[in-house]
């Protein structure tokens, strides 16, 4: 029976007076206080971590059914995280919760992960910032990983409320200096205890040898060369110490405009075509300087464009593609769909969820990125053309598009080591400004643009559509996105290799001081135990078959071999709410249509003048793309060859595991893809067991049997958003709101029309 519930502290539908309803009796509070005192709940600190402030008698709200229940404990703030220390008896501490992060606990929030802080004053929710004249009775923290924490401060002493609220606001929102990041405190304190994982074979691309190896792997060493002209960053602080340029290019040209206007190699295709990128020349008004720049670019152009042997096509990503402002605005709207304070708010937005999703344009931006990557792939694969990506600094959209192209064309990049090496090459060494784009220093909110998260979302679309082609799982992508905000890893906390080396003491260092040795995010043993790491590896990954030379010719691995897997997956998906937009004509961008026409100023930011010889016919591009796209999808899939995504309307979906994992109402208890995967692993175990029994006839000793991840043994106990949510933690009862649904009729009408509505809990 539906009843109007009272939500303590607000944030959702207003409740009648009294404004606050406690679900913990006063005598229970005193009892819990005794228990906490006796147990002395310990705050675990990392090396170099310091406690800044704390408050006791804090209630952390836990969503359950239509009410909110509180867990009593302490709220603390350190120079690394905000942590809630409560009674852990209700938490699961058995084998079912082995997917735990060893650095960040379930009730921990790193300071860099805090997105917005709200306070509730007399049932009104307000954003908190700066110095407060009045302190809230309830604190709500929205995180960048989309968690929502709600703390009741009604029972907390006034002085402690002032101290903890002011401390949290200051340490999460005040601008910081780079050297004051916890990254350096941790590196200094743990310097002698840092142990690297010997199994981590990720190529870091911080040596000339790494670039030469990549050239040899892609067969690009015939036309391109690795150079060390920027060693010590004496030419350009934006570029890495080592990179690759066309062989005919004189090294002195690199120094002329501090690395701007130079075609830098990204990757070479099997047919000899290559993907290049170039940053814009400084904008000048003087005609004499403009003429010098034009002559310089003409010389560069003749180096890389030598028809009929070398033909180059340019893609100006600064003026003819997405803008960073579009990405920022779209994600700001998109994330609000998942930052849910309570059940009432969830169900109130459920009716208009698809319209809100479409209005955010986030899925359309993903589609545009994938389509641009397919266009470039078609030029390289089908037309055997070199492609030159142009951008102002070649460090945002160039990183995104070049990475997607390599992911589609190079099966090595679809292995875990290959994917990590790709991020190192194109993003870390490519100079993507992680420090600014993630706003780690809180110095400029306008610079905060989730370009890397957009890339991971695009990768997830490929992983979701072609699971056997990837060695890693969506869980791997999710924890990688979470690692953006953990400041013990250097990978995502610098704007360039030069900035990292300078601040780590590797450049101009004191002879008596030892340079700091920071951890890399690719050492997953720092965050997860071996059993938990099994969930990062895809058990359905199809390894490349090792064939004799005589067998390789004309041999192709077909997707039909996995028809049982696909059909099982499809049956599971039939019961899930489709997290994608309907099959309608995609929304046109103000700059371009679905198959956009190319503009006639491809290097506007480079020179401000047209270079017509670089322009291709827009009609020809349209026809070539559509023919290439349709032709590939009409054939069976080679998981170790070219891989293209579907980009039609309903094929671009919401990354449910990342965006919905903290919403209890959005889970299928004992169902979803985790149940399908569990059954598949059981089948694989049976097949392997039978194979080993057959092998026993030929071998005296039986090989040890590989086991499926134990966390997937009993899928009935898990939710569809496993491993981030468990059945026992959330109620399975749906909660329908009493407001927002009035137009649908009374309770009896809702029951009769149940089949007409598919709630978000069927994700």
């Amino acid at each position: 029976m539906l009843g109007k519930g009272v939500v303590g502290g607000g944030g959702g539908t207003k409740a009648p007076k009294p404004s606050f309803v406690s679900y913990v009796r006063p005598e229970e509070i005193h009892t819990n206080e005794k228990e906490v005192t006796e147990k002395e709940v310990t705050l675990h600190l990392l090396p170099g971590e310091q406690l800044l402030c704390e408050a006791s008698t804090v209630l952390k709200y836990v969503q359950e059914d239509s009410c909110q229940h509180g867990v009593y404990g302490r709220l603390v703030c350190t120079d690394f995280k905000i942590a809630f220390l409560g009674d852990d008896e209700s938490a699961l501490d058995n084998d079912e919760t082995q997917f735990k992060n060893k650095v960040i606990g379930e009730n921990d929030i790193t300071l860099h992960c805090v997105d917005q802080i709200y306070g509730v004053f007399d049932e009104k929710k307000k954003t908190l910032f700066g110095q407060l004249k009045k302190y809230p009775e309830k604190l709500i923290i929205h995180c960048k990983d989309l968690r929502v924490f709600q703390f009741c401060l009604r029972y907390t002493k006034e002085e402690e409320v002032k101290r903890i609220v002011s401390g949290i606001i200051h340490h999460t929102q005040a601008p910081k200096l780079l050297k004051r990041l916890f990254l350096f405190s941790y590196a200094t304190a743990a310097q002698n205890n840092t142990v690297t994982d010997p199994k981590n074979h990720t190529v870091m691309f911080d040596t000339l040898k790494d670039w030469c190896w990549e050239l040899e792997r892609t067969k690009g060493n015939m036309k391109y060369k690795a150079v060390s002209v920027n060693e010590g960053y004496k030419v350009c602080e934006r570029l890495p110490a080592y990179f690759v340029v066309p062989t005919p290019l004189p090294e002195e040209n690199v120094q002329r405009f501090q690395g701007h206007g130079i075609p830098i190699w990204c990757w070479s295709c099997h047919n000899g075509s290559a993907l290049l990128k170039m940053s814009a020349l400084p904008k000048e008004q003087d005609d004499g300087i403009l003429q010098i720049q034009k002559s310089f670019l003409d010389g560069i152009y003749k180096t890389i464009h030598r028809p009929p042997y070398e033909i180059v096509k340019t893609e100006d990503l600064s003026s003819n593609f997405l803008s960073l402002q579009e990405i920022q605005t779209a994600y700001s709207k998109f994330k609000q769909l998942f930052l849910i304070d309570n059940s009432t708010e969830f169900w109130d937005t459920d009716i208009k969820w698809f319209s809100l999703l479409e209005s955010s344009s986030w899925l359309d931006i993903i589609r545009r990125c994938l389509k641009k990557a397919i266009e470039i792939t078609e030029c390289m694969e089908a037309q055997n053309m070199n492609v030159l990506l142009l951008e102002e600094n070649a460090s945002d959209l160039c990183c995104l598009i070049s990475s997607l192209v390599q992911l589609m064309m190079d099966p090595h990049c679809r292995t875990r080591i290959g994917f990590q090496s790709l991020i190192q090459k194109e993003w870390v060494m490519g100079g993507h400004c992680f420090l600014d784009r993630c706003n780690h220093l809180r110095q400029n909110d306008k610079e905060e643009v989730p370009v890397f998260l957009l890339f991971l979302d695009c990768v997830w679309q490929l992983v979701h559509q072609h699971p056997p082609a990837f060695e890693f799982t969506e869980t791997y992508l999710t924890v990688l996105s979470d690692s953006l905000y953990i400041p013990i890893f250097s990978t995502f906390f610098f704007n360039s290799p030069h900035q990292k080396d300078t601040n780590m003491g590797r450049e101009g260092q004191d002879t008596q001081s030892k340079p700091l040795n920071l951890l890399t995010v690719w050492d997953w043993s720092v965050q997860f135990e071996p059993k938990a790491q099994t969930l990062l590896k895809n058990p359905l990954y199809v390894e490349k078959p090792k064939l004799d030379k005589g067998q390789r010719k004309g041999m192709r691995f077909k997707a039909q071999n996995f028809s049982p897997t696909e059909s099982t997956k499809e049956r599971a998906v039939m019961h899930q709410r489709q997290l994608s937009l309907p099959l309608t004509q995609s929304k046109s961008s103000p700059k371009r249509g679905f198959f956009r026409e190319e503009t006639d100023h491809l290097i506007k930011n480079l020179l401000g003048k047209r270079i017509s010889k670089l322009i291709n016919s827009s009609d020809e591009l349209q026809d070539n793309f559509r023919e290439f796209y349709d032709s590939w999808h009409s054939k069976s899939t080679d998981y170790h060859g070219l891989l293209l995504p579907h980009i039609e309307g309903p094929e671009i979906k919401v990354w449910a595991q990342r965006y919905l994992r903290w919403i209890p109402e959005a889970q299928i208890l004992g169902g979803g893809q985790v149940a399908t995967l569990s059954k598949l692993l059981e089948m694989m175990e049976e097949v392997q067991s039978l194979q080993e029994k057959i092998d026993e006839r030929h071998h005296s000793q039986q090989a040890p049997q590989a086991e499926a991840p134990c966390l997937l043994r009993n899928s009935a106990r898990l939710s569809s958003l496993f491993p981030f949510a468990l059945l026992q933690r959330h109620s399975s009862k749906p909660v329908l709101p009493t407001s927002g649904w009035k137009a649908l009729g009374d309770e009896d009408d809702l029951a009769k029309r149940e089949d007409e509505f598919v709630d978000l809990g069927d994700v």
Side-chain angles (χ1 to χ4, degrees):
M1 184 168 179
L2 296 177
K4 195 169 264 189
V6 180
V7 179
T13 305
K14 280 193 175 182
K17 296 292 183 177
S19 62
F20 180 84
V21 176
S22 171
Y23 293 96
V24 180
R25 296 189 300 273
E27 61 268 26
E28 291 178 336
I29 292 177
H30 296 303
T31 302
N32 287 341
E33 188 171 4
K34 285 183 180 180
E35 292 177 357
V36 173
T37 303
E38 292 173 0
K39 291 183 180 180
E40 290 293 334
V41 179
T42 305
L43 172 64
H44 298 285
L45 298 176
L46 294 177
E49 185 179 4
Q50 296 181 349
L51 176 64
L52 302 176
C53 53
E54 65 177 306
S56 57
T57 326
V58 175
L59 287 176
K60 173 182 174 288
Y61 284 125
V62 178
Q63 287 187 350
E64 185 176 324
D65 297 337
S66 59
C67 305
Q68 288 186 340
H69 295 271
V71 176
Y72 176 82
R74 292 161 53 207
L75 184 62
V76 304
C77 180
T78 73
D79 56 351
F80 169 63
K81 65 178 181 284
I82 301 166
F84 178 78
L85 308 175
D87 183 3
D88 291 332
E89 286 182 352
S90 61
L92 297 173
D93 192 18
N94 51 38
D95 290 341
E96 295 296 327
T97 58
Q98 289 181 11
F99 192 74
K100 289 182 178 180
N101 194 306
K102 297 193 293 183
V103 178
I104 301 298
E106 182 181 4
N107 292 321
D108 295 345
I109 315 167
T110 65
L111 301 182
H112 297 282
C113 192
V114 174
D115 190 12
Q116 292 288 339
I117 301 175
Y118 301 94
V120 176
F121 303 85
D122 299 325
E123 306 248 349
K124 294 182 179 179
K125 178 179 168 183
K126 298 179 181 179
T127 305
L128 301 183
F129 55 88
Q131 295 290 333
L132 300 181
K133 296 181 179 179
K134 182 180 179 182
Y135 290 85
E137 61 188 34
K138 182 177 179 182
L139 192 67
I140 302 176
I141 301 177
H142 285 187
C143 304
K144 293 183 179 180
D145 61 4
L146 305 180
R147 288 181 296 170
V148 176
F149 287 86
Q150 302 185 57
F151 302 103
C152 171
L153 306 175
R154 177 65 65 90
Y155 302 111
T156 311
K157 294 179 181 179
E158 184 177 353
E159 287 302 315
E160 292 185 0
V161 171
K162 292 180 180 180
R163 196 158 46 241
I164 192 67
V165 173
S166 300
I168 289 175
I169 292 174
H170 174 74
H171 293 290
T172 59
Q173 297 185 352
K176 302 177 181 64
L177 298 174
L178 178 60
K179 279 287 191 177
R180 298 300 298 271
L181 293 182
F182 179 73
L183 180 73
F184 296 96
S185 301
Y186 180 82
T188 302
Q191 190 167 8
N192 297 326
N193 300 324
T194 302
V195 180
T196 58
D197 184 3
K199 297 181 181 179
N200 179 24
H201 301 297
T202 303
V203 183
M204 306 303 289
F205 290 99
D206 54 358
T207 65
L208 193 64
K209 182 180 178 181
D210 290 345
W211 288 99
C212 292
W213 177 86
E214 181 72 355
L215 275 173
E216 184 177 352
R217 185 187 71 82
T218 60
K219 305 296 187 293
N221 49 0
M222 298 297 293
K223 301 177 182 179
Y224 299 91
K225 61 182 179 182
V227 295
S228 58
V229 64
N230 196 39
E231 200 168 31
Y233 307 101
K234 54 192 175 185
V235 173
C236 177
E237 296 180 356
R238 176 182 52 85
L239 293 174
Y242 312 99
F243 51 90
V244 176
V245 297
T247 300
L249 185 73
E251 291 191 12
E252 54 266 22
N253 281 8
V254 179
Q255 308 175 36
R256 190 167 180 185
F257 291 101
Q258 296 185 325
H260 290 274
I262 297 299
I264 295 178
W265 176 88
C266 297
W267 181 77
S268 287
C269 182
H270 61 87
N271 60 13
S273 61
L275 182 63
L276 309 166
K277 63 182 178 182
M278 179 188 291
S279 59
L281 290 174
K283 294 183 179 180
E284 298 286 349
Q285 301 296 327
D286 185 84
D287 289 340
I289 298 179
L290 283 173
Q291 188 60 40
I292 294 174
Q293 289 183 348
K294 184 180 184 304
S295 300
F296 176 76
L297 288 176
D298 284 342
I300 295 295
Y301 174 74
K302 292 176 182 177
T303 301
I304 61 178
H305 184 75
R306 295 174 294 172
Y309 307 106
E310 295 285 337
I311 302 175
V312 65
K313 178 187 182 299
T314 60
E315 283 286 350
D316 188 357
L317 301 178
S318 291
S319 60
N320 300 331
F321 191 46
L322 286 168
S323 68
L324 296 181
Q325 180 63 47
E326 284 181 86
I327 298 173
Q328 184 186 57
T329 302
Y331 186 71
S332 296
K333 294 179 180 178
F334 178 73
K335 71 180 180 181
Q336 295 305 319
L337 292 170
F338 312 102
L339 291 168
I340 305 297
D341 288 351
N342 52 62
S343 297
T344 303
E345 182 180 338
F346 173 86
W347 290 109
D348 281 344
T349 60
D350 187 54
I351 301 174
K352 52 186 178 181
W353 199 82
F354 278 123
S355 60
L356 293 173
L357 176 62
E358 184 174 17
S359 65
S360 73
S361 299
W362 182 252
L363 296 187
D364 187 58
I365 285 177
I366 293 173
R367 179 182 296 106
R368 290 167 64 180
C369 292
L370 292 172
K371 182 182 179 294
K372 175 61 68 177
I374 297 173
E375 287 179 1
I376 295 171
T377 298
E378 186 273 332
C379 290
M380 297 177 67
E381 178 76 17
Q383 301 186 43
N384 199 16
M385 297 171 62
N386 295 333
V387 177
L388 177 65
L389 303 177
L390 308 175
E391 192 183 12
E392 184 175 356
N393 289 314
S395 60
D396 287 304
L397 298 176
C398 275
C399 301
L400 170 64
I401 299 302
S402 64
S403 298
L404 288 178
V405 170
Q406 293 175 61
L407 204 66
M408 293 179 187
M409 300 187 72
D410 190 347
H412 173 71
C413 297
R414 302 195 284 266
T415 65
R416 194 164 89 176
I417 295 299
F419 183 70
Q420 294 174 174
S421 301
L422 173 68
I423 293 175
Q424 278 293 138
K425 180 178 68 170
E426 296 298 331
W427 293 84
V428 179
M429 291 298 158
H432 181 66
C433 300
F434 283 105
L435 195 66
D436 294 340
R437 293 294 176 249
C438 297
N439 201 16
H440 288 317
L441 298 181
R442 296 284 182 173
Q443 293 181 351
N444 191 347
D445 291 345
K446 293 181 180 179
E447 292 291 323
E448 184 174 1
V449 185
V451 182
F452 186 70
L453 179 58
L454 174 59
F455 165 67
L456 293 181
D457 209 330
C458 291
V459 175
W460 179 85
Q461 304 294 331
L462 282 160
V463 171
H464 179 74
Q465 293 182 24
H466 306 288
F470 292 86
E471 189 182 24
F472 49 87
T473 62
E474 69 167 342
T475 301
Y476 169 88
L477 294 175
T478 301
V479 296
L480 180 57
S481 71
D482 292 341
S483 301
L484 282 169
Y485 313 112
I486 303 179
I488 66 171
F489 306 111
S490 63
T491 311
F492 303 130
F493 275 83
F494 293 100
N495 283 337
S496 65
H498 168 264
Q499 186 184 54
K500 176 183 175 182
D501 289 349
T502 301
N503 286 279
M504 296 310 296
R506 294 176 182 173
E507 219 183 59
Q509 63 195 45
D510 188 348
T511 54
Q512 296 183 355
S513 63
K514 183 179 179 182
L516 296 176
N517 186 24
L518 289 180
L519 293 173
T520 171
V521 74
W522 312 126
D523 187 355
W524 293 107
S525 63
V526 175
Q527 295 191 64
F528 302 105
E529 297 291 349
K531 287 184 179 180
Q533 290 184 56
T534 60
L535 294 175
L536 308 182
K537 186 175 181 180
N538 181 15
L540 303 181
Y541 173 62
V542 178
E543 295 188 12
K544 191 171 184 178
K546 298 179 180 180
L547 302 173
D548 296 333
K549 292 183 179 180
Q551 294 177 290
R552 290 176 185 168
K553 189 175 181 180
M555 188 71 177
R556 193 176 189 193
F557 191 87
K558 299 184 181 298
Q560 285 87 333
N561 292 351
F562 271 75
S563 56
T565 299
E566 296 296 331
S567 61
T568 305
K569 179 181 175 183
E570 289 298 324
R571 286 196 297 271
V573 172
M574 287 294 290
H575 297 287
Q576 298 184 20
R577 176 174 182 172
Q578 187 180 33
L579 286 178
S580 58
L581 296 180
L583 182 54
T584 57
Q585 186 175 359
S586 62
K587 188 168 85 173
S588 298
S589 161
K591 294 186 178 180
R592 56 188 277 275
F594 189 72
F595 298 105
R596 68 161 180 79
E597 294 185 1
E598 280 201 66
T599 58
D600 56 358
H601 52 290
L602 292 175
I603 55 173
K604 176 181 178 182
N605 288 333
L606 281 177
L607 197 57
K609 297 183 179 181
R610 298 179 183 178
I611 301 182
S612 58
K613 57 189 175 182
L614 297 181
I615 299 174
N616 296 301
S617 167
S618 60
D619 292 336
E620 182 182 355
L621 175 67
Q622 261 190 1
D623 295 340
N624 290 340
F625 174 86
R626 174 50 70 182
E627 181 181 357
F628 177 74
Y629 179 81
D630 291 342
S631 174
W632 189 88
H633 283 291
S634 66
K635 301 174 183 177
S636 58
T637 304
D638 179 3
Y639 291 126
H640 294 283
L642 182 64
L643 195 71
L644 300 184
H646 289 279
I647 56 175
E648 291 80 8
E651 298 295 341
I652 304 299
K653 301 181 183 296
V654 172
W655 182 1
Q657 188 191 68
R658 184 183 193 276
Y659 299 122
L660 292 167
R661 54 186 160 153
W662 312 121
I663 303 177
E665 294 83 1
Q667 301 176 35
I668 305 174
L669 304 177
Q673 292 191 21
V674 64
T676 305
L677 182 59
S678 178
K679 295 299 181 183
L680 289 172
L681 290 174
E682 289 178 12
M683 293 172 59
M684 292 172 63
E685 280 187 302
E686 291 180 11
V687 171
Q688 184 173 357
S689 177
L690 291 173
Q691 182 64 51
E692 288 173 350
K693 289 180 180 179
I694 294 175
D695 293 342
E696 281 183 34
R697 301 181 179 181
H698 306 284
H699 302 281
S700 57
Q701 294 183 349
Q702 182 178 358
Q705 181 175 345
E707 294 188 357
C710 60
L711 293 175
L712 289 173
R713 290 282 179 190
N714 188 356
S715 61
R717 293 169 56 83
L718 309 176
S719 86
S720 58
L721 300 180
F722 175 84
F724 299 98
L726 293 168
L727 173 61
Q728 296 93 330
R729 296 191 183 181
H730 306 292
S731 169
S732 60
K733 297 178 181 179
V735 181
L736 294 179
T738 57
S739 61
W741 287 70
K742 294 179 180 178
L744 300 179
D746 57 21
E747 299 169 21
D748 294 334
D749 291 336
L750 284 173
K752 292 176 183 178
R753 300 170 62 182
E754 181 181 6
D755 292 337
E756 297 181 22
F757 298 97
V758 183
D759 62 62
L760 195 55
D762 288 334
V763 172

